Amino acid sequence: MLSKALLYLRTIRRMKPSMVVRRLRGDRRLSERCFEGEHPARMPKIAIPELDLDAAYLARFDVEALLNRGFLLINERHAVDITKWDVPEASHLWNFNLHYFEWGVALAASWRDTKDERYLTCFKRLVRSWMDACPYGEGDAWHPYTISLRLVNWLIAMDLFDGMLQEDEEFFAAMQESMYRQYRHLLVNQETHLRANHWWENIKTLVIMSAAFDDQAVLDRMTKRLEQQLDEQVLADGVHFERSLMYHKLVLEGMLRVWVASRELGFVLPSNLSEKLQLMLDAMASLERGMGKTPFFNDAADGVAKDCDQLVAACERLLGMGADGSKTAFPAAGYYKLYDGDIAVMFDAGMPGPSYMLGHAHCDCLSFELSYKGEPVIVNSGTYAYQSELRPYFRSTAAHNTVTVDGEEQLECWGEHRVGKSYRDVRVIELSDNRLLLEMTLSSGVCLHRLAALSEGRLEIADSLFGEEGRSLNSYLHFNPGISAEMLGEHINLSSTKVNLAVEPESCLVELLPAYGSAQFGVLAECTVLAICPSGGRKVSYSIEF
């Protein structure tokens, strides 16, 4: 009981006082009087073709299954009873995705492409059933985060249906009334107990919807709050402060939606939005350059946010804003890139995120990912799921290409999105075009160094442990699923690429172990992990040669 209380204390002391107050307050429910009267609106056209009509994006959803109430969401299929809009056997995250209505964008895109009335009829039927089955204020349907995403997705679908929803005056009036209720509920239930990307999504949607409903006082307040959050959440180097490139891209897309809505509705944008957009665009393009996927640091996966290339294209067309993908150092976030010909390597040498919100943090400090000719070779394990018995593994130190010391975790991760103790004092001691010397200190006081050098097709890594005697380190390398590894003496050959991996000293215990990787939510794949334990316990080095 005492240890649990101390864990709670270590977690709560990270939070801002306002976060604790909001959590203790709980959600509020408005009286029916708040919804009385007429609520005319100008629904802005906020679809962005580069994002919403991209074939790879639309392939995430099965529109033909939707016609029969079958939903493919985050790579998992379920039939949905549309009199209840709840699937008990599915995860909480899956049910959240159900209520996002992002799949409705795919229905609208299919109608736009084919003019097949089945897609329009299906969308209207599902919206009607949702409004009938989800009474005000109850369940996941009315969670502030699902409201934030759903309202924007309804606007995108309206735009893609090109006025067809408005032709059914009774349906559209009911939908608009529901949107007003959702907007007002969101306004008084912003997620200030979580802040970070959740609060960003709340504010972004409130800016758009307050402008749509001509609620000038709210619009002024939310625009100011959006400006403040852009200053807080976008670091000086352009990386989103949760250090997840997946959430980085989601926030970037949200900024584009606000920009498009402002052109439609004529409201004034936050003064810093353009500057922050450029910073985030450059950071995204630079960090994904040569990697061939979303880098898997902290909670991140492919198949959730829009792809980098589509976001770059949208920024170019809408704002005439080009992406500078040449940057290699992001000191505020702690990310660094090394290149040598076809080899791209990304390192993490930063804190896990804002100290008061580490819900998406992983134990990946000093870790790296390596791609060759745009194909991932060495990758962190990914995320897989938020509600899963595997959640602790995917957040653990051993699930990343870094170092453990006698099994001590870098972060005290617990629950789905909680962190107690954390490592500290991350430093970049040396930085050049082809060399990095990094340092971090675990909460126990043990200090780790990692030296990385990349040149002439060869990456050299040297790990060292300093501090308390009698402790030993393990280094881990996770190969991308689909790459098999074979030990040949002191060398390790990788099947799909011409790669030689050599470990020094020869007296190290070197093992190839089975593990799991996850490139997308809900997708689990077998992979191979190289575990290296030096005989002296204090130093190890290895090289990867192409």
Side-chain angles (χ1 to χ4, degrees), residues 269-281:
L269 289 166
S271 61
N272 58 354
L273 188 133
S274 181
E275 171 199 354
K276 299 295 185 180
L277 253 174
Q278 184 70 70
L279 283 170
M280 292 193 78
L281 179 64

Side-chain angles (χ1 to χ4, degrees), residues 10 30 109 138 227 237 258 285 311 326 340 418 424 446 458 481 497 526 535 542:
R10 289 192 293 272
L30 297 171
E138 294 184 13
E227 182 175 347
D237 54 25
V258 171
L311 287 162
S326 67
D340 181 52
R418 298 283 179 256
R424 62 183 188 271
V446 170
R458 179 185 178 95
T497 53
E526 293 181 352
S535 55
Y542 55 86

Side-chain angles (χ1 to χ4, degrees), residues 106-163:
L107 278 171
S110 292
W111 176 87
R112 184 184 181 91
D113 184 47
T114 66
K115 295 301 188 287
D116 188 330
E117 290 293 316
R118 294 180 305 155
Y119 303 124
L120 174 62
T121 301
C122 179
F123 181 84
K124 290 166 63 176
R125 180 177 69 249
L126 293 173
V127 170
R128 281 196 190 98
S129 69
W130 183 89
M131 292 188 295
D132 291 341
C134 301
Y136 169 58
E138 294 184 13
D140 290 342
W142 290 87
H143 189 283
Y145 194 72
T146 66
I147 291 174
S148 298
L149 273 62
R150 181 172 55 250
L151 286 173
V152 169
N153 286 326
W154 278 12
L155 288 175
I156 296 168
M158 282 181 193
D159 189 358
L160 295 178
F161 276 123
D162 196 24

